[in-house]
Amino acid sequence: MVVVNHYQCLHCGGCVGLCPVNALTLYELHLEVSEACTECGICVKFCPVGALEGTP
Amino acid sequence: MKVDCLVVGAGPAGSVTAGDLARRGVETLVVEKKAEIGPPKRCAEGVSQRSLEALGINPHPHSIARTITGAALYAPSGKQVVMEGQGMEGYVLERKIFEKHLASQAIQAGARYMVKTQVLDMQRVNGAWEAQIRGLEGTETVTADLVIGADGVESKVGRWAGLKSLNRLTDYHSGFQYEMANVSVNESYIHLFFGREVAPLGYVWVFPKAFSANVGLGILEREARMRSHQYLKRFIANHPEMFARASPIEVNGGGIPVNHFTDMVADGVMLVGDAAQLVNPIHGGGIVRAMHSAQMAAEVGASALREGDLSRDRLLSYRRQWDQVYEDKTAQLLKLRFFLEKLEDKDFELLADILDGADIFELTQARLSFFIKKVLKRPSLLGLAKKYLTD
Ligand SMILES: Cc1cc2nc3c(=O)[nH]c(=O)nc-3n(C[C@H](O)[C@H](O)[C@H](O)COP(=O)(O)OP(=O)(O)OC[C@H]3O[C@@H](n4cnc5c(N)ncnc54)[C@H](O)[C@@H]3O)c2cc1C
């Protein structure tokens, strides 16, 4: 499962709209990854600041 | 709770839809997950005056951080082309005020708003939508005949309605921005910097505000060797003439959809703005398109509610209206985008030589044929232009 570095996340939500399995949700200022995550790595590639880590 | 229309998201798209629906007598509830409408912004806040006027939208004077008279474009060598004059005037907005103003206008027209309240899910039940929302009062269900997905790039409404609204990384800029104080630039212009090393398949912008400037960039991951954050840091370090004495007062990120391929309607659902990827594929501006789509959706939605027919077939007239105005133009701009994506730094220098400000304006209006003629004189670009701009 992709791991969010909450100290770096800018809460821009850009990753959410890219997740093919709808595993990401931004709750105002808290980005959550659900069990559905397949570690496809798309969000990791996108993140403007590198706040997402996984095995792409 | 039961309403005629539930609008998900109080960005420009949501509030313009809500205002226009309420003005037509539709009982409208807007649900916004943020505690404060507006921040954190995901935007450089630039809009053209002419486009706003065309929509009949008058920003409140407090929403305007600066009025600009044109744009300066820079090739990688620093060579500059200025676009100024008729139609180039614009505003750099203060979006949090702009968005709150749009919301307050919608409320004056009769819409109701909830903030710090998130739509969590929705299901189709007996020909209506049941949405679960959660806020300070806990969780409740809202039943609505019509749902407007104005939930931006994060849109889940489209997914819940079974629409293919997923964004693709190949058509989605990774954006990063500082709002900085004490930037030295000509504050009459917005400034755009191009080049493979500057911002792969995108550009850097410097948009002056009242006492600060939005300094940011969008890049496509495909050609990027670093993150957008790192590209911007490098740009700032390479330009002491602008940034030597500047510091950030805010930092923003964001995704920018630069291709529109999603469906916009389902039974009882319409997507507006970024939720439907309605962004200009060349410059990534989406505020105006978001509000224009909102106006169209509100008009169709109000009539459909009156007629009691919220089927996809009925709501498709929203999509037809959109296509009538934007389909050809967007197709042309996409061609231009694919052409620009092939350019090497030396080609940008050539373009800066052969194009003047008015030419570039024509290009952003999706008028391409004159461009091909100009490029005909430059064999190095001709091959590319033929390949990408003609069919
Ligand atoms: C870095 C960057 C720079 C940009 N610069 C410019 C520019 O200079 N000019 C320009 O015209 N455009 C620009 N854009 C694009 C512009 O910001 C968007 O096109 C515009 O904000 C779209 O408006 P919208 O109302 O569709 O979506 P948004 O403004 O994103 O609003 C969506 C709203 O929905 C809310 N929401 C989402 N999900 C839920 C939910 N489940 N429940 C409740 N609420 C929800 C969000 O909190 C948000 O408030 C830029 C974008 C980025 C990322």
Side-chain angles (χ1 to χ4, degrees):
Chain A
M1 209 157 85
V2 159
V3 178
V4 185
N5 182 336
H6 292 286
Y7 304 108
Q8 285 185 346
C9 175
L10 292 173
H11 321 116
C12 77
C15 53
V16 176
L18 283 167
C19 178
V21 294
N22 203 5
L24 292 166
T25 305
L26 180 63
Y27 295 98
E28 199 181 0
L29 302 179
H30 180 81
L31 180 65
E32 232 171 73
V33 188
S34 84
E35 296 291 321
C37 173
T38 61
E39 295 210 10
C40 71
I42 294 175
C43 59
V44 176
K45 287 184 187 157
F46 162 81
C47 181
V49 295
L52 294 165
E53 261 179 69
T55 34
Chain B
M1 200 189 327
K2 164 87 184 71
V3 292
D4 294 341
C5 179
L6 171 67
V7 176
V8 186
S15 284
V16 169
T17 315
D20 279 15
L21 282 170
R23 247 166 253 123
R24 292 180 168 89
V26 175
E27 179 200 18
T28 305
L29 174 68
V30 182
V31 174
E32 167 58 54
K33 68 178 173 170
K34 294 195 285 201
E36 180 181 1
I37 290 177
K41 70 178 187 282
R42 305 148 170 184
C43 191
E45 307 178 295
V47 284
S48 113
Q49 281 179 27
R50 192 157 77 173
S51 312
L52 282 186
E53 276 161 23
L55 299 187
I57 292 193
N58 299 311
H60 189 279
H62 293 172
S63 307
I64 299 169
R66 185 170 288 279
T67 302
I68 52 125
T69 60
L73 282 63
Y74 303 82
S77 65
K79 196 181 291 167
Q80 183 187 348
V81 180
V82 172
M83 304 162 66
E84 206 172 10
Q86 279 293 303
M88 281 309 300
E89 299 85 1
Y91 299 123
V92 182
L93 299 170
E94 186 60 52
R95 254 194 79 158
K96 69 175 174 208
I97 302 181
F98 181 70
E99 285 182 54
K100 283 179 176 169
H101 179 237
L102 289 175
S104 66
Q105 285 181 315
I107 292 167
Q108 272 167 31
R112 273 185 304 146
Y113 273 62
M114 294 171 86
V115 291
K116 202 168 170 65
T117 304
Q118 183 150 357
V119 178
L120 300 174
D121 202 355
M122 63 185 214
Q123 308 82 30
R124 193 89 179 131
V125 180
N126 299 329
W129 285 101
E130 279 186 6
Q132 288 71 48
I133 66 171
R134 184 170 64 202
L136 289 178
E137 315 284 327
T139 307
E140 67 177 302
T141 299
V142 178
T143 306
D145 295 319
L146 175 64
V147 175
I148 300 290
D151 44 349
V153 291
E154 296 169 61
S155 183
K156 303 237 170 183
V157 171
R159 298 187 195 221
W160 294 327
L163 296 172
K164 289 192 176 63
S165 56
L166 186 67
N167 287 288
R168 288 192 298 227
L169 196 54
T170 46
D171 299 281
Y172 194 77
H173 278 198
S174 173
F176 181 84
Q177 171 176 278
Y178 286 120
E179 184 171 333
M180 300 179 88
N182 212 20
V183 177
S184 307
V185 282
N186 178 340
E187 293 182 325
S188 309
Y189 299 145
I190 55 168
H191 303 265
L192 310 175
F193 300 82
F194 297 86
R196 289 253 157 184
E197 289 302 316
V198 173
L201 310 189
Y203 62 91
V204 169
W205 60 77
V206 178
F207 287 8
K209 297 180 66 173
F211 44 79
S212 59
N214 289 325
V215 180
L217 84 181
I219 59 173
L220 277 184
E221 185 270 341
R222 171 156 47 94
E223 291 280 317
R225 283 177 292 102
M226 313 182 271
R227 299 199 176 272
S228 38
H229 175 207
Q230 290 156 319
Y231 276 101
L232 189 67
K233 266 175 39 188
R234 189 171 72 180
F235 181 82
I236 290 171
N238 287 342
H239 290 276
E241 76 287 2
M242 284 187 274
F243 304 114
R245 296 164 50 77
S247 280
I249 55 173
E250 183 174 322
V251 54
N252 313 116
I256 308 159
V258 287
N259 197 349
H260 162 61
F261 42 75
T262 191
D263 206 350
M264 300 157 79
V265 293
D267 287 335
V269 171
M270 290 187 271
L271 303 182
V272 290
D274 275 12
Q277 299 147 352
L278 305 178
V279 168
N280 179 307
I282 290 296
H283 54 61
I287 301 173
V288 166
R289 286 183 179 217
M291 298 192 298
H292 201 180
S293 65
Q295 291 177 338
M296 292 176 180
E299 189 194 324
V300 171
S303 327
L305 278 163
R306 220 179 308 115
E307 296 156 18
D309 177 5
L310 291 152
S311 64
R312 176 182 147 83
D313 276 353
R314 175 66 186 89
L315 300 181
L316 268 175
S317 76
Y318 158 54
R319 194 202 160 131
R320 279 192 291 272
Q321 272 192 42
W322 179 265
D323 284 348
Q324 207 169 7
V325 182
Y326 286 100
E327 193 180 24
D328 292 346
K329 187 172 171 180
T330 303
Q332 291 284 72
L333 290 174
L334 273 172
K335 276 191 196 176
L336 184 59
R337 193 196 115 199
F338 297 135
F339 167 71
L340 293 173
E341 284 180 1
K342 295 286 161 199
L343 298 185
E344 306 285 335
D345 280 3
K346 63 175 185 349
D347 303 323
F348 281 114
E349 303 298 339
L350 259 177
L351 285 181
D353 275 342
I354 62 174
L355 297 179
D356 60 28
D359 292 341
I360 296 173
F361 180 71
E362 291 288 301
L363 278 181
T364 61
Q365 300 303 300
R367 287 189 278 271
L368 303 180
S369 52
F370 84 93
F371 176 65
I372 311 245
K373 279 183 208 133
K374 278 212 158 176
V375 163
L376 275 174
K377 297 180 203 130
R378 302 285 177 158
S380 62
L381 282 176
L382 177 63
L384 269 180
K386 270 196 177 144
K387 183 153 169 248
Y388 286 96
L389 299 177
T390 55
D391 268 331

